Amino acid sequence: MKRIDDTVPAFSAILVLALEVVLAVVLQLSGLWVTMILVGALGALFVRRHRTAFITGFLGVLIGWAILYAYAILTAQGLAVADFFIGLLGLSGLGWVVIVIGCIIGGLLGATGALLGRSLIELIDDLIGGEAESQSKDSSSMQDT
Amino acid sequence: MMKRKVANLGLSLIGPVVLIILLTMPIGPLAGGLGILQPVGGIFDVGKGVTHPDTERVYVPGVQSETRIIVDEWGIPHIYGQTIEDAFFGLGYMHARDRLFQMVMQNYLAAGRISEVIGGMGYAIESDKFQRSIGLARAAEATYRWYVDNAATNPDVNYSLRAINAHVAGVNAFINSMTSENTPIEFKILGFTPEPWTPVDTFIWAKMMTWGLSGGVRDLYREMIRAKIQNSTMYSEMFPDYWPYTVPIIPEQYNLSLSEYDDAPGGYPASVVPPAVPAAAEAQTDLIPQEKLDRILSVLSSVIDFFGPMEVVGSNSWAVNGSMTSTGEAILANDPHLSLQAPSLWYEAHIVVPGVLNVQGGTLPGTPGVLIGHTANISWGMTNVGADVLDIFVEQVEPANHPGQYFYNGEWRDFEIVDEPIHVKGGATIDFNVSWSVHGPCIDSVVPTFSLDEYSTPNLSMNWTGLSVTHEILSLGILNRANNLTDYFDAMYWWDSPPHNFIYADTEGNIAITVAGRFPIRSGYSGYFPVQATNDSVGMVSNIPYAFNPRSVNPSQCYLQSANQKSIDPSTYGFTILGAQDPGYRGRRINELLDAVTTVTAEDMMRFHADVLDVSAREILPYVLAAWSAVGSNASVQIMVDELVGWDYRMEVDVAAPTIWTVLMDELRDVIFDEATDLGVSAGSIGLPVVEWMLKENITHYFDDQSTPGVESRDDILVVALEHTLATLTADFGPSVDDWIYGDRHTIYIGHLAGLTYIGGGAHRGGRYTLNVGWSWEVRGGPSRRMVVDYGTSPDYYVTYPGGQSQNMFSPHWDDLFDLWYAFDTVTEHYGYYLEYNFTTAALFEGADDGTMIEYALVLLPRS
């Protein structure tokens, strides 16, 4: 069995970022923020380092959500809704803060999802690698016999 | 190596887990968690919910045929159904679509379940206990059962039940099809999912309205005051049952035929000859220990008062016949005063079923019918009667020897114990039970167990007409199809609770008013104070016959008016309508306005709605100013008095005099009634007409300040009141006249039901006793809906209310009607109104549309 990293090609960070932006927008249309973890994890398939996965996951979802917030602001009074929300905390007129916090939350979902995905991939690959190694050892010893 | 990978995975799991917890956990009132901040599927979707295509087709189970709902420029639905079921299905759907959060909050509050929505914060649990104690939900179930039991034999009941069931189906059709875009933002913030609506829910809210308008524990307040004063003469002078100078509602009584209506409203038994009743002064005293009384009243004061305190629950209405109008046709005006809230208590709707129904006006979200409005031929308005239809019975108990029992008709009987567990969102369920006696639920069940053994058993039971089976929805069902006086009389027969004055006008030129409601006839006690009734000879033994309810039809004075004042002059009426009712200043003002004119127009009626002349100021202030001229000398007070001299008694926002007068009203009572305040009775509980009477009649005893060795005169004490007024104004607002400008102090504030936002904030005209009423500095109650009906060349219906049709604060219909309601035009001297669209078919409406009248059409289609 081939390791995941040997199967899935590594892309440049920019390309992965673009992919994650698109995925974040598409999956968020389901209305389930938890899918952003999946976006990060999927992006982690195409990079090889935790740090890159974290950054692309964070920025990908952040930008994806920023696009959706911008659309909400332009078409559905998004800033007014944000102003209303922060007004509940006694901070009227700071709706943009809600948008920024929202983007950061989205980014963190993507980033932590990416870390999780990358770690999971590496663990699985290790398991597969270990297994392959032991299978290779087994086949060598059989040949020796 | 493998261990490191496992450790990496473990560490990387921490991030998502922490985020999931953070985004789903309740944070204070944000029970929905921070996850609602996501750009799609959270709170940001509500902004999309305010837009609609020109024609929106919705396929729903339950509707029988295509039902076209035209939503006009004000967001008002005009529902055109082929059947009663379809029309009320449409109304239920629109109620839920525009006001679901309000409906749910109202019902959870009324049913004593608000802790399930908002958790155990602050007042919620106390409120739930109180609502369970008064048993509204139980009474609603009994009322619904009555409709089910009688639908087969009474066609009108059958009609109402069909309407109720269809309305419920419409509400549920919306709940079941809710999307993130039209889910109220409040549900998202609170993390709450509404349960399916039921027919009993319809009655729960009706019961809550009934409680707000005719409930309360006035007997206990009276008892507390009487116990403190302990002087029956002083009590009756300070708290008269008939305010001085009152102009009662009924100018000429008009009885109906006793053979046609031989019982009381709602089909309850009636007596033509009431038994003699002992005078209030003879009522038994000391039935309730003062400590217990104080504790109960303290608990009740902390409970949510949905409609605001009783003093703001008032209303104005009047009608003139054709002899007083230039067109020769009648005009009717009405503005019910209630607690102002966002969204409003009112929801405008027009419901049409060809050949059966064409009714338009103010509905209450959750109730299948128009409460105030008009059909094609008649119109009606409402004002609260404010009569006392609730008595407190002190059950005789002996907890030591007869635990859980009370003595009645010669035997010890068990209290019925009703378990009322209170579920608290995010908390433990609280065990709670309510004791019921033959008279009703023990309202002191809400009070925690007392430290003293003899008080530990709840024994204050409440006998309230509103807790019986009531028929207000049946009455509305008939009234909504009424087309003449006879229909109106038939509808009023079923209106048993809460008692209301229904003013009426029609296309034939008739005007009428009925003090509608079931008024109990008491035996063996006055009804003013708590009473101990150990047998059935003492109690509410019968009712005033409907035929003899106070009523007037086409009186010789050519107009009728009501403003919550005394229904009828007690000296001319053979029955007792208990309670002082409203002090009567608004009634006096309406009377003098209508007396002073020979012809009036609809626009005059609008000016009367906006009238802010304070009759109490006009009657009392001259005595104060005369006293100052006679004995006043303080230079600082003189500056304040200068503002009052020449004031036209209008509570306008750009002058200081109304502020001074508002403070002076309280100071006058404080200095005059030191006899009461010294005994711990608030002078503010004494009506202003008593002050007016004492000044005009110069009742010298009360003017003397008991704390000084000398004897003060009327003038002396009035000058003291002025000095106190200056001190209060300076302390509260500042030393300068500029600090006292009324509009800076008297502002309108219409709070959101869950406290999330508000409407208003600006200066507000009017005062406590003006037609355009505005109680308290921050006005939270007042004209909840203004309507003028002009039966001129064509019937014109002018309406507005302080709010808007939509519950969505991002919709233009959140507060567009408030803008009309609030905008006072100094040229026309009245507020804004919209002219109702009253097309009898959808095709006519759409054909007449010039592009501005219709916002969109919603078509409900059957889904198999």
Side-chain angles (χ1 to χ4, degrees):
Chain A
M1 190 175 178
K2 272 190 162 182
R3 290 166 16 128
I4 298 170
D5 278 349
D6 293 339
T7 311
V8 180
F11 293 153
S12 72
I14 294 291
L15 196 59
V16 174
L17 177 64
L19 178 72
E20 285 184 313
V21 169
V22 173
L23 269 177
V25 170
V26 171
L27 288 183
Q28 184 56 48
L29 293 179
S30 70
L32 300 170
W33 51 262
V34 76
T35 57
M36 295 306 104
I37 295 174
L38 188 62
V39 171
L42 287 173
L45 280 170
F46 303 101
V47 294
R48 295 295 178 262
R49 292 163 60 94
H50 276 90
R51 187 186 302 168
T52 314
F54 181 91
I55 291 170
T56 53
F58 181 82
L59 290 177
V61 178
L62 184 146
I63 293 168
W65 277 27
I67 291 168
L68 292 171
Y69 281 127
Y71 184 74
I73 289 169
L74 292 172
T75 64
Q77 306 181 63
L79 204 53
V81 175
D83 273 335
F84 165 79
F85 183 81
I86 205 159
L88 300 178
L89 307 174
L91 299 169
S92 301
L94 294 174
W96 61 271
V97 173
V98 175
I99 304 289
V100 170
I101 290 172
C103 288
I104 291 171
I105 288 173
L108 287 173
L109 283 167
T112 54
L115 281 182
L116 179 63
R118 193 65 235 151
S119 297
L120 193 60
I121 290 164
E122 289 187 1
L123 179 65
I124 293 169
D125 277 357
D126 252 24
L127 287 171
I128 294 169
E131 197 180 323
E133 210 170 293
S134 87
Q135 277 176 358
S136 159
K137 277 180 183 168
D138 286 349
S139 72
S140 308
S141 61
M142 279 178 72
Q143 281 173 357
D144 289 347
T145 309
Chain B
M1 190 68 172
M2 175 70 79
K3 278 183 184 168
R4 215 187 86 209
K5 302 289 181 192
V6 172
N8 269 352
L9 181 66
L11 287 172
S12 61
L13 260 173
I14 293 173
V17 169
V18 167
L19 273 175
I20 289 171
I21 292 171
L22 275 177
L23 296 182
T24 51
M25 70 184 282
I27 303 171
L30 299 178
L34 280 177
I36 60 174
L37 292 184
Q38 61 181 330
V40 178
I43 57 172
F44 290 94
D45 289 351
V46 297
K48 297 174 196 152
V50 303
T51 54
H52 305 274
D54 289 345
T55 301
E56 188 177 343
R57 295 178 185 279
V58 181
Y59 292 85
V60 280
V63 71
Q64 295 166 357
S65 53
E66 179 178 313
T67 300
R68 200 165 186 84
I69 301 173
I70 305 225
V71 178
D72 73 19
E73 61 180 307
W74 299 104
I76 297 166
H78 299 256
I79 303 164
Y80 298 94
Q82 298 303 309
T83 64
I84 287 297
E85 280 80 1
D86 282 352
F88 282 97
F89 184 98
L91 181 65
Y93 189 88
M94 294 306 293
H95 272 167
R97 182 177 165 124
D98 283 339
R99 299 292 182 83
L100 185 61
F101 175 70
Q102 172 184 6
M103 290 163 61
V104 169
M105 281 284 282
Q106 287 173 171
N107 270 30
Y108 273 73
L109 181 68
R113 297 176 58 195
I114 199 69
S115 302
E116 293 177 35
V117 183
I118 63 173
M121 62 175 74
Y123 49 75
I125 294 172
E126 288 302 311
S127 168
D128 282 350
K129 285 184 177 177
F130 180 70
Q131 296 300 139
R132 303 289 182 96
S133 296
I134 61 175
L136 298 184
R138 205 175 181 208
E141 284 176 18
T143 298
Y144 173 60
R145 278 199 304 275
W146 182 90
Y147 279 74
V148 172
D149 293 344
N150 290 274
T153 54
N154 184 325
D156 289 324
V157 177
N158 182 270
Y159 168 91
S160 291
L161 193 58
R162 285 164 54 207
I164 290 165
N165 289 332
H167 184 266
V168 168
V171 174
N172 286 328
F174 176 76
I175 290 175
N176 295 332
S177 65
M178 261 193 323
T179 64
S180 179
E181 291 183 6
N182 58 23
T183 296
I185 192 171
E186 296 90 342
F187 287 151
K188 295 182 177 189
I189 290 172
L190 293 170
F192 183 81
T193 306
E195 293 175 355
W197 201 249
T198 70
V200 174
D201 289 327
T202 305
F203 292 99
I204 288 177
W205 182 239
K207 290 290 178 190
M208 185 67 176
M209 288 290 289
T210 303
W211 173 260
L213 297 167
S214 72
V217 286
R218 279 177 281 190
D219 288 16
L220 294 182
Y221 281 107
R222 289 194 198 105
E223 178 62 24
M224 179 193 70
I225 292 170
R226 181 178 70 149
K228 286 180 175 170
I229 290 180
Q230 294 195 334
N231 180 328
S232 59
T233 305
M234 192 185 288
Y235 180 90
S236 61
E237 285 180 344
M238 288 182 180
F239 301 96
D241 196 38
Y242 190 47
W243 297 109
Y245 316 111
T246 291
V247 180
I249 290 172
I250 303 298
E252 296 161 14
Q253 170 67 5
Y254 180 97
N255 289 331
L256 297 177
S257 163
L258 204 55
S259 60
E260 195 174 349
Y261 300 102
D262 61 352
D263 48 17
Y268 283 91
S271 296
V272 175
V273 182
V277 169
E282 296 170 20
Q284 196 176 342
T285 56
D286 301 331
L287 281 171
I288 308 171
Q290 191 66 38
E291 184 190 3
K292 180 171 181 174
L293 196 54
D294 288 343
R295 287 193 193 186
I296 293 170
L297 291 174
S298 166
V299 168
L300 297 189
S301 68
S302 68
V303 170
I304 302 169
D305 195 352
F306 203 80
F307 300 97
M310 280 303 280
E311 57 262 38
V312 306
V313 180
S315 309
N316 305 320
S317 71
W318 58 89
V320 299
N321 71 14
S323 64
M324 288 183 66
T325 65
S326 55
T327 61
E329 303 291 345
I331 303 178
L332 178 145
N334 178 220
D335 57 309
H337 305 160
L338 292 166
S339 167
L340 303 181
Q341 60 174 53
S344 167
L345 281 165
W346 297 103
Y347 181 81
E348 297 295 314
H350 180 203
I351 314 165
V352 180
V353 179
V356 181
L357 187 68
N358 179 11
V359 63
Q360 183 164 190
T363 70
L364 301 172
T367 303
V370 170
L371 192 64
I372 294 179
H374 61 87
T375 66
N377 295 305
I378 75 157
S379 55
W380 69 94
M382 296 167 72
T383 58
N384 195 31
V385 173
D388 186 345
V389 291
L390 185 157
D391 294 335
I392 300 294
F393 289 81
V394 185
E395 304 299 353
Q396 184 180 327
V397 291
E398 283 182 24
N401 301 321
H402 300 280
Q405 293 186 312
Y406 64 103
F407 190 73
Y408 191 70
N409 274 350
E411 61 181 5
W412 287 96
R413 297 186 177 192
D414 288 340
F415 281 108
E416 181 192 357
I417 307 295
V418 178
D419 282 331
E420 299 276 4
I422 293 169
H423 305 291
V424 181
K425 182 178 181 180
T429 296
I430 296 171
D431 290 331
F432 184 65
N433 56 54
V434 179
S435 303
W436 287 65
S437 78
V438 66
H439 297 109
C442 292
I443 59 165
D444 49 341
S445 300
V446 70
V447 181
T449 305
F450 294 99
S451 53
L452 301 172
D453 281 345
E454 58 265 40
Y455 303 158
S456 62
T457 300
N459 71 329
L460 302 183
S461 58
M462 174 183 86
N463 191 356
W464 170 46
T465 56
L467 214 53
S468 313
V469 168
T470 54
H471 307 86
E472 57 274 32
I473 292 176
L474 170 59
S475 175
L476 287 183
I478 301 170
L479 193 59
N480 284 190
R481 291 172 290 155
N483 280 303
N484 53 49
L485 259 176
T486 305
D487 295 344
Y488 161 76
F489 292 145
D490 287 344
M492 293 299 95
Y493 167 77
W494 285 108
W495 188 275
D496 44 6
S497 206
H500 265 71
N501 308 300
F502 277 77
I503 199 150
Y504 167 98
D506 66 24
T507 49
E508 299 297 313
N510 296 303
I511 59 170
I513 193 165
T514 301
V515 182
R518 177 162 76 91
F519 298 103
I521 290 176
R522 295 161 168 97
S523 171
Y525 71 115
S526 68
Y528 284 97
F529 302 106
V531 62
Q532 189 154 74
T534 52
N535 60 64
D536 55 16
S537 69
V538 177
M540 295 181 180
V541 294
S542 189
N543 304 282
I544 297 176
Y546 171 64
F548 297 161
N549 267 41
R551 179 185 299 104
S552 195
V553 178
N554 295 324
S556 55
Q557 67 183 22
C558 300
Y559 68 85
L560 288 163
Q561 56 91 7
S562 77
N564 318 104
Q565 75 272 39
K566 199 73 178 173
S567 304
I568 189 164
D569 184 345
S571 65
T572 65
Y573 190 59
F575 301 92
T576 300
I577 306 279
L578 197 72
Q581 301 168 261
D582 185 85
Y585 286 114
R586 285 178 291 113
R588 288 159 71 179
R589 179 61 178 161
I590 299 169
N591 216 56
E592 67 188 30
L593 283 169
L594 293 175
D595 251 351
V597 293
T598 50
T599 61
V600 285
T601 63
E603 197 152 15
D604 289 328
M605 301 306 196
M606 295 175 190
R607 275 191 279 275
F608 295 171
H609 270 164
D611 187 82
V612 289
L613 188 139
D614 189 333
V615 172
S616 69
R618 190 187 64 198
E619 298 301 315
I620 292 172
L621 206 48
Y623 291 91
V624 180
L625 296 178
W628 179 257
S629 297
V631 297
S633 59
N634 182 309
S636 299
V637 175
Q638 183 64 52
I639 294 171
M640 182 182 77
V641 169
D642 288 344
E643 296 297 314
L644 295 173
V645 174
W647 177 43
D648 59 4
Y649 311 112
R650 292 179 191 278
M651 304 292 278
E652 296 286 2
V653 292
D654 54 352
V655 287
T659 308
I660 301 168
W661 167 241
T662 302
V663 174
L664 180 57
M665 267 192 276
D666 291 333
E667 298 297 345
L668 279 170
R669 281 182 277 206
D670 274 344
V671 297
I672 292 174
F673 299 115
D674 55 331
E675 295 84 355
T677 54
D678 288 349
L679 297 170
V681 175
S682 165
S685 61
I686 301 168
L688 210 54
V690 176
V691 176
E692 182 186 347
W693 169 70
M694 288 181 177
L695 292 176
K696 287 181 174 174
E697 301 301 322
N698 199 9
I699 310 296
T700 54
H701 168 73
Y702 289 96
F703 296 133
D704 180 31
D705 182 348
Q706 310 288 320
S707 65
T708 63
V711 177
E712 283 77 16
S713 69
R714 181 179 66 185
D715 285 355
D716 293 334
I717 213 72
L718 292 178
V719 168
V720 171
L722 279 172
E723 289 166 352
H724 286 195
T725 299
L726 177 64
T728 301
L729 285 167
T730 304
D732 291 352
F733 304 137
S736 163
V737 170
D738 291 340
D739 297 324
W740 309 337
I741 298 300
Y742 195 51
D744 294 339
R745 303 296 162 198
H746 194 249
T747 53
I748 182 81
Y749 182 95
I750 303 175
H752 178 264
L753 273 174
L756 302 185
T757 183
Y758 68 94
I759 297 173
H764 187 62
R765 302 169 65 251
R768 297 178 192 174
Y769 300 111
T770 57
L771 293 186
N772 185 46
V773 75
W775 198 276
S776 72
W777 294 114
E778 193 171 71
V779 176
R780 291 167 181 261
S784 63
R785 181 179 188 271
R786 297 191 183 110
M787 175 180 78
V788 174
V789 176
D790 181 7
Y791 287 114
T793 46
S794 68
D796 287 330
Y797 309 100
Y798 302 92
V799 180
T800 188
Y801 68 83
Q805 290 286 96
S806 176
Q807 69 192 338
N808 187 331
M809 51 283 279
F810 307 105
S811 162
H813 301 309
W814 162 251
D815 59 0
D816 53 351
L817 295 177
F818 170 82
D819 295 339
L820 280 180
W821 180 91
Y822 184 68
F824 179 73
D825 187 323
T826 52
V827 176
T828 62
E829 295 183 321
H830 63 71
Y831 293 96
Y833 297 75
Y834 65 86
L835 181 62
E836 279 185 2
Y837 299 122
N838 198 230
F839 297 97
T840 52
T841 67
L844 282 174
F845 199 163
E846 287 166 329
D849 182 27
D850 59 3
T852 63
M853 296 157 64
I854 296 175
E855 188 168 300
Y856 67 99
L858 175 70
V859 186
L860 299 179
L861 296 155
R863 187 174 75 194
S864 56

